[in-house]
Every structure is written in C-alpha cells, then in structure tokens.
C-alpha cells in the first residue's frame, strides 16, 4: 500500500499483483523535446496484452520496435486503453486492429460498441480502470497491480514529473487536484502522458 495511505483506509488499488509493464517510448512536450510525443506503455496480465495511449510519436517504430523486442506484434495486443480523446494520446490506435479499445464510457471492438462506465471496470483482478477527470472531462486511469506495487497510467492528469501544476488545458483545476489526490492515495508509481515515470509521493506536483 502506498506510504501516503493509512493502513485501514479504502483504496482503489487492484487486489491482484500479477501485472507487469514496460514503457515502450517516453514522451515529451514542446518544452522538453523537439515536438510532442506520448508516453506509450505495454501492460500484461495473464492473457491480456494492453497498450496504453498509443499517441503521437516521431515514428511508429518508436512503438512497434520496443514491442517487437518483447516478442510481440500489433495483432498480439488484446486491449488498448485511451486515457482521453486528445489526438496526441490516440494517434496510433489503428496499429492494433485486433484489440478491444477502452475509453471512459464504452468498449469498442470491430463493429461492436458496448456501453459501460469505466469507473471500477476490471480487465483482470490486477488491472482496474477509474475515472480521473481534470485534464479533460473524460479522463481515465489504468491502475496495474504489480509485484512491487501499484502503477498508475494517468494520461495527462500529469504531463510529466514536474506537472505542470497548473495544467493550461484543464477546465477545472479543483477537479484536477481531486483526481490527482485520488491517484496518489492508491498508487506507488505514476506514468504520465508525456514524460518518464515518477514516484507517487510528496514530490508529485499538485
């Protein structure tokens, strides 16, 4: 359980601890790189092979190359998680044509659209979605229970380890802060939308 959560407090963290993850490409924004690129992650648990936020990258090889090094191709991916619907986080979703695609309100597969609320939805006992609005109204976070703790794939709830604290895109900063606090209470590591992973502790920008 994260250090900032009392032992007897309820937590959103998944009960399972069997997921593993690899950051395929670390993103950046105009202030930290030559353009804008998403942090794209691969998460696995059992027979689930998940890509999180297959967004803008300099080349599709930045996603498919590291995936191939894991022995996987695009058609091996069973699920894609879209944290929200901004193009910089979704641009390359079409690479994974066999996957179920998950957002805040539904699951999409081939020609099937299945309505469901992302809040509390479990892909497996170790992989849970929660709603975390703030950067946009439809933001969701994937919480992955791993052998070393809970990892939160938060999209642009945080762009990168230094924030920004005041997200210039956020429509409501109080809602943003509430979602950030919820994530911090449930997780040990945060994977942001456009930067490297960072610890979910008192150094996380609020």
């Amino acid at each position: 359980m994260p250090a900032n959560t009392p032992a007897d407090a309820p937590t959103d963290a998944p009960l399972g601890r069997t997921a593993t993850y690899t950051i395929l490409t670390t993103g950046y924004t105009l202030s930290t790189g030559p353009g804008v690129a998403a942090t794209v992650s691969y998460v696995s648990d059992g027979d689930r092979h998940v890509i999180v936020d297959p967004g803008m990258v300099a080349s599709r090889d930045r996603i498919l190359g590291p995936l191939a090094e894991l022995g996987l191709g695009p058609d091996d991916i069973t699920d894609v998680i879209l944290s929200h619907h901004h193009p910089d986080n979704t641009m390359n979703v079409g690479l994974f044509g066999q996957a179920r695609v998950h957002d805040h309100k539904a699951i999409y597969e081939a020609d099937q659209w299945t309505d469901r609320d992302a809040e509390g939805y479990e892909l497996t006992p170790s992989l849970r979605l929660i709603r975390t609005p703030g950067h946009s109204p439809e933001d969701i976070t994937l919480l992955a229970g791993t052998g070393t703790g809970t990892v939160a794939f938060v999209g642009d709830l945080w762009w990168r380890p230094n924030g920004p604290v005041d997200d210039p895109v956020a429509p409501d900063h109080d809602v943003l802060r509430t979602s950030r606090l919820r994530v911090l209470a449930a997780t040990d590591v945060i994977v942001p939308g456009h930067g490297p992973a960072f610890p979910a502790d008192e150094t996380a920008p609020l």
Side-chain angles (χ1 to χ4, degrees), residues 127-146:
L127 300 176
R128 175 180 293 164
L129 301 177
I130 60 171
R131 281 184 174 264
T132 50
H135 176 72
S136 78
E138 75 269 8
D139 295 335
I140 61 174
T141 288
L142 171 65
L143 298 174
T146 77

Side-chain angles (χ1 to χ4, degrees), residues 1-188:
M1 182 173 291
N4 54 357
T5 303
D8 59 349
T11 177
D12 291 306
L15 295 178
R17 290 288 182 267
T18 56
T20 62
Y21 75 101
T22 300
I23 294 176
L24 301 176
T25 187
T26 299
Y28 45 83
T29 58
L30 291 172
S31 61
T32 58
V36 176
T39 294
V40 184
S41 301
Y42 165 71
V43 184
S44 65
D45 187 43
D47 61 358
R48 296 284 190 137
H49 300 279
V50 183
I51 296 290
V52 184
D53 281 354
M56 292 174 67
V57 286
S59 163
R60 289 179 172 183
D61 288 342
R62 300 285 182 93
I63 298 173
L64 297 180
L67 194 62
E69 291 176 7
L70 298 174
L72 298 167
D75 288 350
D76 294 313
I77 300 306
T78 61
D79 300 87
V80 172
I81 307 296
L82 302 179
S83 64
H84 60 297
H85 284 286
H86 292 167
D88 55 322
N89 293 82
T90 65
M91 185 72 77
N92 282 293
V93 65
L95 289 174
F96 307 104
Q98 303 301 312
R100 295 173 288 264
V101 178
H102 303 257
D103 71 359
H104 64 294
K105 67 177 183 179
I107 302 171
Y108 314 89
E109 184 176 12
D111 65 348
Q112 298 301 303
W113 175 317
T114 304
D115 288 322
R116 67 96 186 87
D117 193 332
E119 177 61 36
Y121 180 81
E122 291 190 342
L123 285 76
T124 74
S126 297
L127 300 176
R128 175 180 293 164
L129 301 177
I130 60 171
R131 281 184 174 264
T132 50
H135 176 72
S136 78
E138 75 269 8
D139 295 335
I140 61 174
T141 288
L142 171 65
L143 298 174
T146 77
T148 56
T150 301
V151 181
F153 300 85
V154 300
D156 288 353
L157 193 62
W158 284 272
W159 296 9
R160 48 186 182 266
N162 64 346
V165 173
D166 295 320
D167 183 340
V169 179
D172 189 321
H173 288 273
D174 289 337
V175 171
L176 179 75
R177 179 180 170 84
T178 296
S179 291
R180 285 176 170 177
L181 288 170
R182 181 181 183 187
V183 169
L184 287 171
T187 193
D188 301 284

